[in-house]
Amino acid sequence: MAPRADCIADSAGGLTFDVTDHGAPGPAHLVLMNRASGEETRLPLTPVGDGRLRASLPISVGLPEGRWDVYVQVAGDEPVRLTPGVNDLRSLVDRAPSGSRGHVAVRIPYATKHGNLTVRSWLRAPHAEAGELLIENGELTVRGRLYGAQFSAKACVEIRSRAAAGPVLQAELDVDGVQFALRIGYDELSKGRWDVWLRPAGEDGPQVRVARLLDDIADKKPIFTYPAQRVGSAGRELEAEPYYTGDNDLAIVVTEVSA
């Protein structure tokens, strides 16, 4: 039977892993391996009673953005992939970090399609957190909060086409402290996919991807679905729909309506 780990998230965004202790001799470690780069982060596992070993991953320990597969390794043995037990992620719901570190760090454990334990990590500096999305009258309004930066009088929103040499459009932006609301008229968009960026200091400052990270859902794309709206543009009827990408970044897809 594959070893299992229960995960508990704290209000700061750190994670605690409780792993079943099978009584093997020698020191044990929890190993997080970056799926793309192979980089490893090793955490000591210590006995806590009740047949469990515990490792802690505080938010202060850096974990570069990506997907980290989770293993247990005892002494010099080969690492063994962990399966997920109980994930207590309640403290991640509506989490609002201070942003005082200049960045936002997020770690969400989840079960892969093969039933293994993986941690999805984000590290954004600065970060624009998308909150409520309002869709009506051919317009998308996004309310959110900026972390790790301040708005200036030059602040703007860019809607960038993913097409090669595609256009970059600007959208309406209202700011109240660190809170913002941006509005995108669908009739300004052409067919294709568009990414939403915030420029809190204008064109010469940081480029901040608008994303939804501060909750307990590792992959928003299949969970958060929004209605499509039809609009007329350049004599054609188009359909626009907001969605979250595989990295939980906000985007819009525009398709042409068949006659």
Side-chain angles (χ1 to χ4, degrees):
M1 184 176 178
R4 190 181 75 169
D6 297 332
C7 297
I8 301 175
D10 61 41
S11 58
L15 295 176
T16 298
F17 301 86
D18 279 357
V19 180
T20 305
D21 185 359
H22 292 288
H29 287 83
L30 188 93
V31 181
L32 296 104
M33 184 177 297
N34 187 289
R35 192 179 295 174
S37 68
E39 178 184 354
E40 291 186 4
T41 294
R42 300 175 62 85
L43 306 170
L45 282 161
T46 57
V48 291
D50 299 327
R52 294 175 298 154
L53 301 171
R54 179 169 293 172
S56 295
L57 178 66
I59 203 68
S60 58
V61 173
L63 198 66
E65 188 161 324
R67 298 182 189 268
W68 295 77
D69 297 328
V70 188
Y71 299 79
V72 61
Q73 185 176 31
V74 178
D77 294 344
E78 287 295 316
V80 177
R81 193 75 189 275
L82 284 167
T83 60
V86 176
N87 283 346
D88 184 353
L89 308 181
R90 290 172 292 178
S91 64
L92 298 183
V93 178
D94 298 324
R95 176 175 163 241
S98 67
S100 59
R101 295 176 180 269
H103 66 260
V104 167
V106 178
R107 291 89 180 263
I108 305 177
Y110 71 96
T112 70
K113 64 181 180 181
H114 299 297
N116 296 314
L117 178 63
T118 293
V119 174
R120 183 67 172 93
S121 175
W122 288 268
L123 189 62
R124 300 284 173 96
H127 170 57
E129 177 72 8
E132 178 187 15
L133 270 60
L134 177 63
I135 303 161
E136 61 180 5
N137 301 324
E139 183 178 84
L140 170 65
T141 299
V142 182
R143 302 185 186 281
R145 178 175 175 175
L146 178 65
Y147 292 90
Q150 299 292 324
F151 287 108
S152 78
K154 297 180 180 180
C156 61
V157 177
E158 291 183 348
I159 316 302
R160 301 180 182 176
S161 170
R162 286 193 205 163
V168 176
L169 308 178
Q170 290 205 348
E172 183 180 346
L173 175 66
D174 293 325
V175 172
D176 182 7
V178 295
Q179 307 291 331
F180 65 86
L182 61 91
R183 296 175 183 83
I184 302 168
Y186 287 154
D187 58 354
E188 299 180 18
L189 306 180
S190 56
K191 181 180 175 181
R193 295 184 184 271
W194 300 78
D195 295 325
V196 184
W197 292 79
L198 194 62
R199 306 296 300 269
E203 296 181 0
D204 296 328
Q207 306 177 47
V208 186
R209 194 75 161 83
V210 178
R212 180 161 182 161
L213 307 180
L214 297 174
D215 57 27
D216 61 341
I217 301 173
D219 291 300
K220 308 292 191 298
K221 191 173 184 178
I223 304 297
F224 288 79
T225 58
Y226 299 95
Q229 286 208 323
R230 292 190 177 188
V231 293
S233 177
R236 298 187 298 171
E237 189 174 20
L238 302 176
E239 193 170 70
E241 179 181 355
Y243 70 99
Y244 288 104
T245 70
D247 289 327
N248 292 350
D249 297 323
L250 182 62
I252 302 167
V253 58
V254 181
T255 56
E256 190 168 356
V257 178
S258 300

